[in-house]
Each structure stands twice: as structure tokens, then as C-alpha cells.
Amino acid sequence: MRTITDLVRPAVRQQRERAVAQCPWQQRLIRWGWFVALWCAGVAGTALLALPFKLIIASAK
């Protein structure tokens, strides 16, 4: 998407585009980082969801 800055200062756009372009291994590392972070968030969410039931069962004994 073009902005007014791109039209007025094209060097800024070129610099931004160069900064975004990364090596393939860096992109792969970022993807795996996101996968691991979201997986950990899912595991933590599941544990928090199951915690009340665990406490109810523990208090019934």
C-alpha cells in the first residue's frame, strides 16, 4: 500500500523494503518462534481451563 510518505520520500520506502527482506533461515526461525509461542500459550490456556475442575475434584476427596 502506498502512503503519502512513499510519494514524497521514495528513499524511505526503499529503506523499509530492504529492512523487511530477510534471509530464509531468519524467516524460518521467526515462523518456528511464533509456532512455539502460540503452542505454549495454548498449553497454558488449557491448564488454566482445567484448573477449576482439578480443584473441585481435589476438594471432594
Side-chain angles (χ1 to χ4, degrees):
M1 185 169 86
R2 296 199 135 203
T3 63
I4 191 69
T5 305
D6 298 335
L7 298 173
V8 176
R9 298 186 307 186
V12 173
R13 179 184 177 125
Q14 292 170 353
Q15 183 181 16
R16 187 172 60 231
E17 287 174 350
R18 270 189 248 118
V20 170
Q22 297 173 341
C23 297
W25 65 270
Q26 286 178 325
Q27 291 175 346
R28 198 173 329 130
L29 186 64
I30 290 170
R31 280 192 212 128
W32 273 105
W34 273 108
F35 175 77
V36 169
L38 291 174
W39 184 82
C40 289
V43 169
T46 303
L48 287 175
L49 185 65
L51 184 62
F53 299 104
K54 183 178 180 178
L55 294 175
I56 290 170
I57 293 169
S59 67
K61 290 184 179 179

